[in-house]
Amino acid sequence: MKYYFELQFRMLQRNLSEFGLQPLIAFIVLPLLFIGGSAVLFSRTPYAAYFIVLVSLYVISLLGHSKRNTFLKTIFSFEKYRVLRLVENLILALPFSLILLWYRAYWSALLVLILASLISVVTLSAKESHTLITPFSAYPFEFTVGFRNSFLIIVLAYFLTIMGIKVDNFNLGVFSLMLIIMICSSYYFELEDDFYIWIHRLDSKGFLMHKLKVAMASCSLLCLPIFTSLILFYPKNLNALLAFQILGLLYLILILMGKYALYPLKPNVPQAVLIGMTLVLPPLLIFIIPYFFLQSVKRLKSILP
């Protein structure tokens, strides 16, 4: 297991280098950015703790990909595999939990550790991923695959909504809504082969608009149970709920356009910086989304008319 973590560390260094960052500099700058971003977040919104819990849950869930876990099960015994998943999840959860403790969000810090432990035992197997029925089968491929891989996290979000209503905590309901949107955004981190773009009988702008419609409709469908429940129980908070829903969908559009703005390359440092700036200053979305859209049109013209 020691060799496994050494190998993961070397792979992290290699990925940082390919991303355009010197590993030593990244290990100094990234924690400072995390601390600084958290400070800005806590100074600007009372929902900062919920947002950090949401981000931590998303980051930790990346370790639960079915292909990755299938591979781990082939090289470790079941007991070592469980321990490995738990240790990995807690390592990723630790920075988020510590920053929450620093800002005295004790229950949120504890929630991060508990959720990290629970997620370590709820990974879907590859076989289950292929048999789970989804409402998105007619639209390749992001939501079909993503829904199957994140099904249990979606169920968890619905459960948190019910608990939020039960204990009269509107913020917990908003948190579960944003969790669903963040999960949907993660579906667009995977790059498809250019063949699956070429088969569309659309030009580059038409292709992007088609992708946009599918993303908005599919994400709204998953959000609908939470959104409807919160409106029924908290009608006075309708404006706030609409604001969160619209902002979340704008970030979904940003991630979708960002995916194709560099296609077939993966995201790089400048793009990550632009996306990070929108988290600090959301009004920048009205400038960066059109910029990513124009870049995406240019990139896709080599594949589509």
Side-chain angles (χ1 to χ4, degrees), residues 290-304:
Y291 172 72
F292 279 176
F293 176 78
L294 295 175
Q295 293 297 314
S296 299
V297 171
K298 290 181 181 177
R299 286 282 182 174
L300 293 173
K301 278 187 176 179
S302 61
I303 304 173
L304 297 170

Side-chain angles (χ1 to χ4, degrees), residues 19 29 38 44 48 59 213 231 240 247 252:
F19 194 61
V29 172
S38 300
R44 296 197 173 190
V59 172
K213 290 176 183 175
I231 285 181
L247 185 62
L252 174 64

Side-chain angles (χ1 to χ4, degrees), residues 31-287:
L32 293 177
L33 287 176
F34 176 69
I35 294 171
S38 300
V40 172
L41 199 60
F42 273 95
S43 67
R44 296 197 173 190
T45 173
Y47 303 112
Y50 293 100
F51 184 78
I52 289 178
V53 172
L54 187 153
V55 173
S56 71
L57 193 57
Y58 168 72
V59 172
I60 295 166
S61 70
L62 295 177
L63 297 177
H65 195 279
S66 59
K67 290 183 180 179
R68 178 178 183 277
N69 282 273
T70 301
F71 172 73
L72 290 178
K73 289 175 182 176
T74 62
I75 59 176
F76 291 107
S77 65
F78 180 76
E79 291 77 13
K80 286 187 177 180
Y81 163 75
R82 285 301 182 205
V83 173
L84 180 69
R85 285 294 316 278
L86 180 62
V87 172
E88 280 187 325
N89 284 12
L90 290 178
I91 288 174
L92 284 187
L94 190 59
F96 297 100
S97 187
L98 289 177
I99 201 71
L100 289 167
L101 283 175
W102 175 261
Y103 287 99
R104 300 180 180 180
Y106 303 118
W107 285 109
S108 297
L110 180 61
L111 179 64
V112 169
L113 296 177
I114 292 174
L115 291 177
S117 303
L118 291 176
I119 291 175
S120 71
V121 298
V122 295
T123 305
L124 287 173
S125 72
K127 183 177 179 180
E128 288 168 336
S129 298
H130 288 295
T131 56
L132 184 64
I133 297 174
T134 87
F136 312 111
S137 301
Y139 302 102
F141 64 93
E142 290 90 350
F143 270 82
T144 305
V145 176
F147 178 82
R148 287 167 176 160
N149 287 335
S150 60
F151 175 72
L152 291 178
I153 299 178
I154 293 171
V155 173
L156 174 64
Y158 292 155
F159 173 75
L160 290 177
T161 304
I162 296 171
M163 294 303 298
I165 293 172
K166 186 176 180 180
V167 300
D168 194 22
N169 188 335
F170 175 74
N171 293 337
L172 187 57
V174 172
F175 166 74
S176 59
L177 182 71
M178 299 305 288
L179 176 59
I180 290 289
I181 295 175
M182 180 167 284
I183 292 170
C184 294
S185 300
S186 72
Y187 298 165
Y188 290 90
F189 288 176
E190 189 74 22
L191 290 176
E192 69 265 53
D193 189 272
D194 56 6
F195 171 77
Y196 293 102
I197 299 175
W198 176 80
I199 58 175
H200 288 78
R201 300 175 63 181
L202 299 166
D203 59 15
S204 52
K205 290 183 180 178
F207 171 79
L208 288 172
M209 294 308 296
H210 170 70
K211 283 283 185 177
L212 182 60
K213 290 176 183 175
V214 172
M216 299 283 281
S218 302
C219 182
S220 298
L221 181 63
L222 290 179
C223 291
L224 187 61
I226 298 176
F227 192 85
T228 306
S229 301
L230 292 179
I231 285 181
L232 289 175
F233 285 91
Y234 302 96
K236 293 182 179 178
N237 294 334
L238 175 61
N239 291 337
L241 197 57
L242 283 172
F244 277 111
Q245 178 75 32
I246 293 172
L247 185 62
L249 291 178
L250 286 175
Y251 278 108
L252 174 64
I253 297 172
L254 178 74
I255 298 299
L256 191 159
M257 295 300 168
K259 170 184 175 179
Y260 293 106
L262 292 175
Y263 187 88
L265 302 177
K266 293 182 178 179
N268 56 22
V269 173
Q271 190 182 59
V273 170
L274 286 177
I275 295 175
M277 289 170 61
T278 64
L279 296 175
V280 180
L281 296 171
L284 290 177
L285 286 167
I286 60 177
F287 301 104

